[in-house]
Structure formats: C-alpha cells, structure tokens
Amino acid sequence: MEDKRTYASPESYAMNGGKGPYSYAQNSIYQREAAEAAKEKINKAIADHFDIKTLSASLNSVCVADLGCSTGPNTFISVQNIIEAIKLQYISTGVHTEIPEFMVFFNDHVSNDFNTLFKSFPPNKQYIAAGVPGSFHGRLFPKESLHFIHSSFALQWLSKAPIEVMDEGSPAWNKGRIFYTNAQKEVVEAYATQFAKDIDSFLFARAQELVVGGLLALFIPAIPDVMSNSDTFIGTELDLLGSCLMDMAKVGLGSEAKVDAFNLPTYVTTPKELNALIERNQHFNFERMEILNNKSKCLTLCNPSMRSLFLRSAFEGVLKKHFGNDIMDELFNRYTEKVAESSFFLNTEADKSIVLFVLLKRNNY
Amino acid sequence: MEDKRTYASPESYAMNGGKGPYSYAQNSIYQREAAEAAKEKINKAIADHFDIKTLSASLNSVCVADLGCSTGPNTFISVQNIIEAIKLQYISTGVHTEIPEFMVFFNDHVSNDFNTLFKSFPPNKQYIAAGVPGSFHGRLFPKESLHFIHSSFALQWLSKAPIEVMDEGSPAWNKGRIFYTNAQKEVVEAYATQFAKDIDSFLFARAQELVVGGLLALFIPAIPDVMSNSDTFIGTELDLLGSCLMDMAKVGLGSEAKVDAFNLPTYVTTPKELNALIERNQHFNFERMEILNNKSKCLTLCNPSMRSLFLRSAFEGVLKKHFGNDIMDELFNRYTEKVAESSFFLNTEADKSIVLFVLLKRNNY
C-alpha cells in the first residue's frame, strides 16, 4: 500500500518579479483593464451559477483559487471581486445567518516572485491567503477542495513549446522563427496539438480539485475564428521579436542555431477551437463562452516603448533562460525600434485579438 | 451583515533568507538535530493520539501545517516524518482502503523568504504544498481546517518585545541591555507577561483552526524550573550581544539611547510556567509534556564562529531593522571575539537549556 503519488513541477516560466521598470507588476495595465471589464461577467456568473444551497453542505469556508496570479495587483482585484460577489450571494439568498470565512489560494510557477506577492497583499484583506507554487497543467490542490477557480490571461501559456518545432528532422521545424505567426501549417498544427493536450490536462486537474457545483471561470486571449495570428498585435509582435533575434544572430550577437532551438511556449486559441476542447471533457457543464468587451485594451499600449515594456515583462523570463541575460537590453531596444517603424500598430483597429470568458461548472460525472 | 473580519499581520521578523553563509538554511544544524531527535516523539504522538476514525469523517485530505517553517530544510524533514507516521496509522488501523491526499501549509512571517522555501521543496514530495504568510500569534487558517499542527523552535519568538522594557519611565526599563538575562526582576516579569499573552493568543487561534481530535505538537526551547536564563548558552549569548552593542555605542558606533530603545522579542520559558499557561486554555486536552533528549546539541555549536553564525542567522533580521545593516559585520565580529574569550562556552555541561515537547488535542469544548 505504498503511496507513490508525487506533485513535482515541470519547467516553469514566471512573469518578471519585483516592482522595477521591467516588472510584470508595473506592466500589466492591459490585463488589469481586462480584469475590470471582466468584473461584470464574474458577478453575473456567481449570481446565476454559484449555488449556495448545493455548496454549503461541505462548507466550513469558501475556498477560491487564482491560477497564474503573478505578483499582483490584478490578482487582488479579481479575488476581491469574486469574494464580494459570493458574499452578496449569501446575503441575497438568505439561507445562512453567517457568511463563512474565505480562503484564497494564489497560484503561479515555483519561479514566480511570491515574496513580492505576499508583501503586496491588500492591508485589510477579508480572506485568509496562501501561495501555491506549481504548474496548473498538473494537480495543485487536494480533491474536492475548491469552490471557485479563476484564471485570467494565463491559459495562453503552454506547458512547453511543441518539441517538433525545434527538431530539424521534423516537417514542423520552425526554422528562423520563435513563434508560429506566419509559419507553415505544420508548425501551427504542432502548436495547436500542444494547446489541446494542455487544455485537457488543465481541465482534468481542475475537475478533481473542484467540489460538485464548483465553478471554473477563465479569461483567455484569443482571435476570432476566421482570423490568423498575424491579424493581432501580439502575433505580429512575437514574429517581430523573432526577427530581431535573427538580425542579432546575423551580426554575431548569438547564432541562428540558437534561435532555431527556441520557440515561445504560448498559443492564441479561437472560440471554435476552445469550444471543441471544452466539450470533450465530461466533468463540466459548459455554462458560458462569451467575448469580453474590452475596447480600451489598445489605447494604453500603442506607444512603442510601452508595448516593448509589456512584452518584456511577460516574456523576458523564458527568453533569458535560453538566450542569457546579456542580450536582453539590445533585443528589446531593437524590438522597440521595429515596432516604431511598423505602420501595423498605428491603427488600433488592426488588432483583431479578443478575450474569451468561459464559465464551467463541475458536474456529477 | 457586512463582514469586517480582516487578516492583517503585525510587525514581523523572519530568519535570514537565501542560501548564503549567513542564511538560516545554512545555520540551523542545532534545530535539525533536535528535529531528528524529535522524530520518535512525533511517531508516538500520532500512533497514540491521531484517531483516524474520529478524524476521517470530515476528510477529503489530511491537512498539516508547520508554523515558523523558515526556509527549510528542517521543515521538510519534520513534515515528511509527520506524513509517514499518519500514513502508517492508516495502514495499521486498516479502516480505509485508500490513504487520503496530504496538503501541507508552510507558515512563516510575510518577510520570510518563501521564494527560497518553494524552490527547495523535495523533488518527489508526496504532498500538495502551500505557503501561508503571517504571524502565528493570530489566525492563519479557516475554522476547523487542519488535522495536525506542528511548530518547532518558533514559539520562543514573542509577537513583540514588551513595551515597558523600552520605556524610560517604567520600573521595567531595561537600560543598557537588549534582553532580560541578568536584568532586574521587573524586566523578567514584563517578558513573562508578554509570553503569557502570546501563548494565549496562539492557543486560541489554533483551537479555532483544528478540527475536533486534531493535534498540536510543539517543540519549544526552555530552561529547567530552578534555573535562570544566565545558566544557558543562549541567555548568556544574547546578554553578550547586548554588551557588544553597548561597547560599540561607547566608541561612537551607534548610541546608548538606540540600544535602550531596543529589546529582543524572544523568551525562554520553563516547564512549570508553560504547563500553567496551557492548562488555562479549555479547548485542548493536554496529552503530554516531555523534555526532549538532545545530547548532541552543543557539540556542533561550541566553536565561537559557528555560534556567532547561528545567532546571526536567527537574529540579524530583527537587529538590522533597528540598528541598520551597516554595523552587522562589526557587531558579529565583536561578538565572536567575546564568545572566544569567555570560558563559559568551553564546557557544554554549562548549558542547562532544554527542549520541551508538548502535545495537545483539540477537544469538544
């Protein structure tokens, strides 16, 4: 009866820590605005689907998790909103005289800067807080221990880049690029296959962790079904970033082989693709998939320096790990110049990217 | 029905982080040996008092907490031992076909280096892990959420030094000292009063967090009832450390007023005193208080440099906060010299300090 279950973490990439100019904390305005736009979605999701009567049987406390929390402050805004909405639900249904305690689990990779996260907790937070390090592609919590799981702008991260795209012998070899924008179809397919695997394992793990009736609320960057990655700012940006690395290799800063050996572990899905992936999981009722109304997203990021800072705060960790710290300033300087020279970013309408809101409820299956 | 409960943390002092020469991780051999000596106590406590039949009614997973975990590795040794003992209990009682999952909460102050802790997790740990930042003098976990709480070498830390000892107008003013060793009786009493308050609030919080039948296992440094603080190495050391600060003030490195305005927030109890404090709490059955057999404790620490490193790893955080970083090297160099010059530390028998093992079980009260 030896117990061999382990909870190890795979390779991890976290957003930049601390509070400096390249930190994620200082460069996540885009996500914060989306989170604020998301408030309404969450409120309605909880009002319509957080069934206190079903859930309260097992309740000493309401347990909430935010997956991919980074270092704040967005995670605190989201969590506060979730808690207020659940409290309102308790008050409005009137089934309990006392509101239970709240426990919030903040999750991100082991390499996330939890020290900064913990020091940034709101001074009068009305919940008990814990940090849970580890990859959300695997199990993070005990069975049936959570009532509400939230994840915002995190599921676009793959557990790893698909290995074929770095394999010279594969038809999916992505030579001269670090991302699948404008790449041949085999590269795009390899990325899509990896994303499908990752969504499967994500949903499988969450199904175990949620109590029956528990909710899973996801905000995921996406592109409309008929569009391609090059129709978005982020897709174009990551393609440009790859071209900067190739330019640098050509003048002896790094090598082309080094660029070929690297691809970014991130993917932008479509509503149709994500819909199909969710529907093949039987543990959830598919309550809702909606496009988030997020008009303000570009206004704050259309300045080339700001776009560069944003990209750096999100991707520097994974880039540094492969290319080393020394070329980061040069890389992002070159990148800022390319963004400034491009006309694509002048018109915010050119960015066709969207944000999907997905609401799932753990069923009895 | 507005909910105004908050979970804020008071001022905090953590052990030195990282893995450098002054880190707690590199200088906690004394505690580690005690923890290994403690293994037998824990095994017997769980075998005799962890009642699977009572506890399992509410069990999806077994929830364990280590309070004052610092950055490892001792916490991992303790936790692993607790889990193995509980698993053995499941196997030997045979009431369940399946061993439940384990969730371990690692707690320490917000200023603790959780990043290092998380990166040091054993590679094949058989439990789900979370970090919980905050002071154990207040609430840390939801009501009735834990089955086993462990705290080793942490309860000697007070929530704060008693304010009277820094008050020139008080009979308990501890002029020229930073600790109560060799101080007048009012100072000792002020420290004892603070310790009593802190134990009360500690036990009150733990009683809320444990399920009925849950265990609280504590290892606490102490001195025998008939001895005084000057009969221990640590008591003498902290007195010497204070005298170094006064010496430095006299040659212009700092000021006497600055020394007078500071006292160390730590206290060494006696079996009799702790016994009385525990007995006035009605929420626990007092299962056991024993003196830990820990013969090896001095052998590894009798070298003056090692004693100095040990003291520095534990107390530098709180000293730096008051006296600044600049004088730390000078302070601990002077301190190492004083230890080397003293004959008190030559004979390990001179150290009368002991370690108390206390086992409490949450009752129905």
Side-chain angles (χ1 to χ4, degrees), chain A residues 181-223:
Chain A
T181 309
N182 297 322
Q184 75 265 27
K185 119 177 159 300
E186 290 83 355
V187 174
V188 183
E189 284 167 1
Y191 266 91
T193 303
Q194 185 65 51
F195 181 69
K197 272 186 210 162
D198 286 345
I199 291 290
D200 277 352
S201 59
F202 177 87
L203 292 178
F204 182 74
R206 302 301 80 78
Q208 292 178 78
E209 294 159 358
L210 278 169
V211 299
V212 171
L215 297 180
L216 175 57
L218 308 171
F219 294 94
I220 308 177
I223 49 174

Side-chain angles (χ1 to χ4, degrees), chain A residues 278-294:
Chain A
I278 291 170
E279 284 196 335
R280 71 191 198 192
N281 183 300
Q282 297 180 294
H283 300 292
F284 290 101
N285 294 348
F286 196 162
E287 303 292 355
R288 211 171 281 176
M289 178 185 280
E290 290 168 356
I291 294 173
L292 201 67
N293 187 6
N294 180 33

Side-chain angles (χ1 to χ4, degrees), chain B residues 36-226:
Chain B
E36 282 168 7
K39 187 170 174 169
E40 254 179 77
K41 298 286 179 203
I42 290 288
N43 289 351
K44 192 158 162 40
I46 289 171
D48 293 350
H49 298 284
F50 195 85
D51 181 356
I52 305 260
K53 284 177 195 162
T54 309
L55 291 169
S56 290
S58 64
L59 273 188
N60 280 320
S61 53
V62 176
C63 295
V64 174
D66 186 37
L67 310 187
C69 64
S70 187
T71 52
N74 297 348
T75 185
F76 304 127
I77 297 169
S78 304
V79 158
Q80 187 58 32
N81 183 43
I82 291 163
I83 287 175
E84 280 168 13
I86 294 176
K87 282 186 180 175
L88 198 64
Q89 191 76 341
Y90 270 87
I91 294 167
S92 63
T93 54
V95 283
H96 289 260
T97 50
E98 204 189 339
I99 295 175
E101 293 182 310
F102 285 84
M103 173 106 198
V104 178
F105 295 96
F106 294 90
N107 157 260
D108 211 315
H109 288 294
V110 173
S111 56
N112 185 51
D113 186 353
F114 282 94
N115 288 350
T116 294
L117 177 78
F118 290 169
K119 283 169 192 155
S120 312
F121 280 152
N124 291 309
K125 66 185 167 55
Q126 296 182 3
Y127 50 84
I128 293 167
V132 175
S135 163
F136 56 53
H137 295 295
R139 280 286 299 285
L140 292 166
F141 305 96
K143 276 181 198 160
E144 298 171 47
S145 63
L146 298 175
H147 303 97
F148 195 99
I149 300 178
H150 172 264
S151 182
S152 185
F153 287 83
L155 269 175
Q156 74 275 24
W157 286 99
L158 300 172
S159 61
K160 60 179 184 192
I163 48 171
E164 314 89 282
V165 302
M166 279 96 70
D167 175 4
E168 196 172 340
S170 166
W173 188 34
N174 197 16
K175 182 166 173 50
R177 299 185 183 281
I178 61 165
F179 196 52
Y180 66 90
T181 308
N182 297 323
Q184 74 265 26
K185 125 179 154 301
E186 290 83 354
V187 174
V188 183
E189 283 167 1
Y191 266 89
T193 302
Q194 184 65 49
F195 181 71
K197 272 186 210 161
D198 286 346
I199 291 290
D200 278 351
S201 60
F202 177 86
L203 293 179
F204 182 74
R206 303 299 82 77
Q208 292 179 77
E209 295 160 356
L210 279 169
V211 300
V212 171
L215 297 179
L216 175 58
L218 308 171
F219 294 95
I220 307 177
I223 48 174
D225 291 325
V226 293

